[in-house]
Amino acid sequence: MQTIFQTPQPAVVPVAGSDAHFPVRRIYCVGRNYADHAKEMGFTGREDPFFFCKPADAILHVPEGETGELPYPPRTSDLHYELELVVALGSGGRDLSVEQAMACIYGYAVGLDMTRRDLQGEAKKQGRPWEVGKAFDHSAPIGPIYPAERIGHPGQGAITLDVNGNVRQNSDISKMIWNIAESISYLSGLFELQAGDLIFTGTPEGVGPVVPGDLMVGAVEGVGQLRVKVVA
Ligand code: MN
């Protein structure tokens, strides 16, 4: 097929411990999936979680053992981190049961749902879409994907983020309101899921701002680590 300009390369995430790469089709994110984070955002913690998307090329992939560099984005003075467990799908479908959803999982990674909180707040107030707050360039830093056949399916374990060595987020993935399989199952009722889809499963409490020079180190017990430095 003749295209009028060169087709962009697909976004990819390295698979840990191999030369293979996971090609990213879509990025789905779960909002308010930990009760204590919902409360710190001004909600009761009893509302159902919900979904939004980032473009696939918002990925900033950080190879194992390396430190990624996140350029401070424009038009914000309140860039927030949200450390999240990310699920990578190796297959998909529609209206998946919880059991079918588990079978679609290829692996897991540690990711950051970076947020221009000031622009997101303004969008909420005006009843406008969230893209300017959530879907900007490099807004989805992510470490390598660990295949489930190597690490299993994490159902509990610490989820933490340090900024410059100070603990900012410290919870447990067992505190998700909707667990991983339930999120996939629900999402598959809204969209047909496919291999290559990533799902950011929500952040625990403790979100806050970073500025150029800050080093974020996130970890999910049993999965891995992600190191990202904010640069000007
Ligand atoms: Mn988030």
Side-chain angles (χ1 to χ4, degrees):
M1 178 176 52
Q2 189 183 355
T3 55
I4 58 162
F5 51 83
Q6 198 177 2
T7 308
Q9 292 291 309
V12 296
V13 180
V15 175
S18 84
D19 294 330
H21 288 77
F22 180 94
V24 180
R25 190 186 82 109
R26 291 184 184 172
I27 303 173
Y28 295 102
C29 301
V30 188
R32 292 179 214 138
N33 200 19
Y34 290 79
D36 287 339
H37 170 60
K39 287 178 193 166
E40 76 180 348
M41 299 305 291
F43 299 88
T44 66
R46 289 195 295 271
E47 299 87 356
D48 275 350
F50 59 91
F51 298 95
F52 59 91
C53 292
K54 293 181 189 252
D57 66 0
I59 287 288
L60 173 70
H61 74 70
V62 182
E64 199 165 23
E66 294 186 21
T67 301
E69 292 200 338
L70 170 68
Y72 196 90
R75 301 295 179 98
T76 184
S77 53
D78 199 20
L79 176 67
H80 275 210
Y81 53 78
E82 295 189 0
L83 200 275
E84 309 198 0
L85 172 64
V86 182
V87 183
L89 299 189
S91 62
R94 283 189 301 181
D95 297 322
L96 301 168
S97 68
V98 165
E99 294 72 28
Q100 290 169 327
M102 287 305 286
C104 292
I105 297 172
Y106 171 76
Y108 298 88
V110 180
L112 280 161
D113 166 17
M114 297 306 296
T115 303
R116 290 192 283 213
R117 194 71 76 198
D118 41 5
L119 300 190
Q120 184 202 24
E122 190 61 26
K124 281 183 187 173
K125 213 180 337 175
Q126 309 265 5
R128 290 179 180 161
W130 281 15
E131 276 83 355
V132 295
K134 286 288 194 181
F136 54 93
D137 297 338
H138 318 297
S139 61
I142 188 171
I145 293 172
Y146 296 84
E149 63 178 25
R150 270 179 50 199
I151 65 163
H153 294 280
Q156 57 179 43
I159 177 168
T160 58
L161 180 78
D162 290 9
V163 180
N164 303 329
N166 301 308
V167 180
R168 296 292 187 221
Q169 294 190 281
N170 184 7
S171 185
D172 195 289
I173 58 170
S174 64
K175 292 185 178 173
M176 285 181 196
I177 296 169
W178 286 356
N179 68 30
I180 292 161
E182 289 167 342
S183 295
I184 297 169
S185 172
Y186 191 93
L187 189 57
S188 74
L190 293 165
F191 302 96
E192 180 174 354
L193 302 178
Q194 291 189 26
D197 290 344
L198 295 177
I199 303 167
F200 282 61
T201 58
T203 197
E205 67 279 12
V207 300
V210 282
V211 295
D214 285 347
L215 175 66
M216 300 179 283
V217 179
V220 177
E221 191 180 352
V223 179
Q225 209 194 47
L226 171 64
R227 293 168 59 89
V228 178
K229 186 169 186 165
V230 184
V231 298

